[in-house]
Amino acid sequence: MPQERHLVVIDGRVLWRDSLARNIAADHPGKPILTFESSAEWRRQREETAPPSAILLNIADKKIDDPAIEQDITALASEVAPVPVIVLSDRDDLTQIVKALRCGAKGYIPSSVSVDVCIEAISLSLAGGIFVPASSVFAMRHLFETEGAAERPLAGLFTDRQAEVVEALRRGKANKVIAYELNLRESTVKVHVRNIMKKIKAANRTEVAYKINDLFPDHPSQEPRVTSADDRGSDKRE
């Protein structure tokens, strides 16, 4: 008789992977679950077991920007396709989720969700769906809107003014230049920059440019709106 397909949990931390495996087992009695310290360990033993039904890869607080992590996800997704690879992570920022999906992951579960949500997310992936956090779906809604949003891909994530500041940051413009071109006080520009950094969890303005370019690699930078001297005198209250 063929062996029942099992769920694979890969996590370098013994306590975390054992706790997760027990929680899943409690919700799915009789469901075979195998745990491994790393993808390499799973590969060494994969011939001794039936093919997995899904692979749950916990990258903890590591970033998918790390070439080793990116390669690990991509390799697993390629090796076991169409079996879903689901990424667990301590991070829930948009750039990480998008990168995981680009690597071939069929789900992204942040550690901030409950065990029940985690189990439902696994079930969704097993059924052929793709799970991402609801908060990230709302942030990404501009990617699915048509017409106006297609022309302004930042509109769903930022206000109109913040989007203008983001475009300027992408081109490396200083606050004084941004203030002049957008008809704002320099102090207002600084507030916009702080709010933008907070929204995408960037540590500095350089990281803002990096993250936005990574999210929208094909989005052409637009020339900033240049106002006349008369206009600049009328909009300084913003």
Side-chain angles (χ1 to χ4, degrees), residues 60-63 89-93 96-97 108-111:
D61 64 346
K62 298 182 179 67
K63 288 187 175 183
S89 173
D90 294 343
R91 302 174 182 273
D92 61 358
D93 52 299
Q96 297 300 296
I97 296 171
Y108 189 100
I109 306 174
S111 58

Side-chain angles (χ1 to χ4, degrees), residues 110-123:
S111 58
S112 57
V113 305
S114 67
V115 172
D116 289 340
V117 172
C118 178
I119 292 173
E120 289 300 321
I122 295 170
S123 299

